[in-house]
Amino acid sequence: MPTERTETIIDAHPAEWWRQFESASDRFDEAILTTGLTEMLLPKITSQLLQREADIAADIAILYRNKPSSEGIRDRYDGARNRLRETITRLADRGVDPAALHEAEIVSWVLDGDYARAAAEIEPRIGAVTLLRMFVAALRVAHLDVNVTAHLLGVGRTPAEAIYAGKIVGKYGYWPDWLRELVVEHAQAGTLTDEFVSALELCAFATLRSTQARLARQLLRREPAAINTAARTLEAIGETDIATRLRQGDYGAVAFAARFASV
């Protein structure tokens, strides 16, 4: 199973890619993302004036994200982010080096809710992994394995694919390692389906012994030699229907085949 990863994505993702996370969960928590991104960016603002304005605005924005129905907090939020924007503009008009204003500018995007634009801008400098963990945490999906999800995103799977696999591994954390490894393996290959997950459930329920589990893993990987051997054994004991299903690629036959065809 993947644990902490250090890989980064060579090609930075565009804002449209990061934006997919916001629609991946109906519980997407903007407060988590606002907190994580601003905590990362604020120390990088070199101007004390800008840092103070950005810090105040970030605190109020986080408060507003947690209580969006409060009109009073909304007014404070609008005022704080407007002041930050005005301060950036005023310093730019005075000829301050744009590079010195850049981090505060990105903070203003975060405060405006444009997390995807901010992520796309800073990813080349900090790498994808840290950002991915923030966005995944903001999903607030029940039973989500964050390590697996972040790993799959890091190797190029789409947010939808990575989140689906992370939910499976998280939900079935009691499965033996070899079953959860198969989830990640198929997710990486883009072949993780509901049918395959159902077959894994059957294997978990069957509580296979080590030799049976080894055969099941080979059958789930569609290894031809294992399929032929298991099918012949099943035919020899009269289980021709299961043997036929196994040869046809029916994952649902794997648990039964592993129990009765293992040697």
Side-chain angles (χ1 to χ4, degrees):
M1 293 298 297
T3 52
E4 293 295 323
R5 308 291 297 189
T6 58
E7 74 267 19
T8 58
I9 299 172
I10 296 174
D11 296 322
H13 297 101
E16 291 73 20
W17 190 88
W18 289 104
R19 201 164 282 119
Q20 294 179 60
F21 287 89
E22 297 176 42
S23 59
S25 168
D26 57 6
R27 301 180 63 204
F28 190 78
D29 194 325
E30 295 186 57
I32 289 176
L33 206 51
T34 301
T35 301
L37 290 172
T38 56
E39 285 182 352
M40 178 189 302
L41 291 163
L42 288 172
K44 300 180 185 299
I45 300 175
T46 56
S47 164
Q48 291 186 349
L49 172 62
L50 267 181
Q51 189 177 74
R52 184 170 62 253
E53 290 284 4
D55 196 8
I56 293 170
D59 284 344
I60 297 174
I62 293 166
L63 185 62
Y64 172 66
R65 301 287 187 241
N66 283 314
K67 296 183 178 180
S69 60
S70 171
E71 291 186 9
I73 297 176
R74 172 66 197 228
D75 290 341
R76 292 174 59 199
Y77 160 69
D78 286 338
R81 63 180 180 151
N82 287 339
R83 281 192 298 275
L84 176 60
R85 170 63 60 186
E86 290 166 1
T87 302
I88 295 172
T89 300
R90 186 169 62 254
L91 292 176
D93 290 342
R94 291 177 181 174
V96 173
D97 184 355
L101 306 176
H102 191 53
E103 304 298 335
E105 180 80 16
I106 301 172
V107 169
S108 75
W109 300 345
V110 174
L111 302 186
D112 289 342
D114 200 347
Y115 314 110
R117 183 183 180 190
E121 180 67 22
I122 63 179
E123 181 186 351
R125 285 180 283 147
I126 69 168
V129 173
T130 300
L131 286 170
L132 287 172
R133 293 195 180 282
M134 286 185 198
F135 276 79
V136 170
L139 293 171
R140 293 187 62 194
V141 174
H143 308 298
L144 183 72
D145 189 302
V146 174
N147 284 339
V148 166
T149 304
H151 165 64
L152 291 170
L153 288 165
V155 297
R157 302 321 307 176
T158 67
E161 291 171 324
I163 292 165
Y164 176 61
K167 287 169 66 175
I168 296 301
V169 173
K171 179 179 180 181
Y172 299 110
Y174 56 87
W175 280 1
D177 286 347
W178 69 272
L179 285 174
R180 290 181 288 138
E181 287 168 0
L182 282 171
V183 173
V184 177
E185 185 178 297
H186 274 255
Q188 288 182 162
T191 56
L192 184 63
T193 63
D194 290 342
E195 177 193 8
F196 187 75
V197 172
S198 295
L200 298 184
E201 287 186 89
L202 290 173
C203 289
F205 183 74
T207 57
L208 304 175
R209 299 191 303 273
S210 59
T211 54
Q212 295 170 335
R214 188 182 311 110
L215 175 58
R217 184 163 54 243
Q218 294 170 333
L219 298 177
L220 288 166
R221 285 175 172 158
R222 303 298 300 155
E223 295 181 12
I227 291 172
N228 289 334
T229 299
R232 286 198 297 269
T233 301
L234 289 167
E235 289 164 347
I237 63 175
E239 296 291 348
T240 55
D241 179 59
I242 296 296
T244 298
R245 289 172 53 197
L246 190 64
R247 291 185 190 278
Q248 292 175 342
D250 183 354
Y251 285 122
V254 168
F256 186 92
R259 285 183 69 91
F260 290 94
S262 60
V263 295

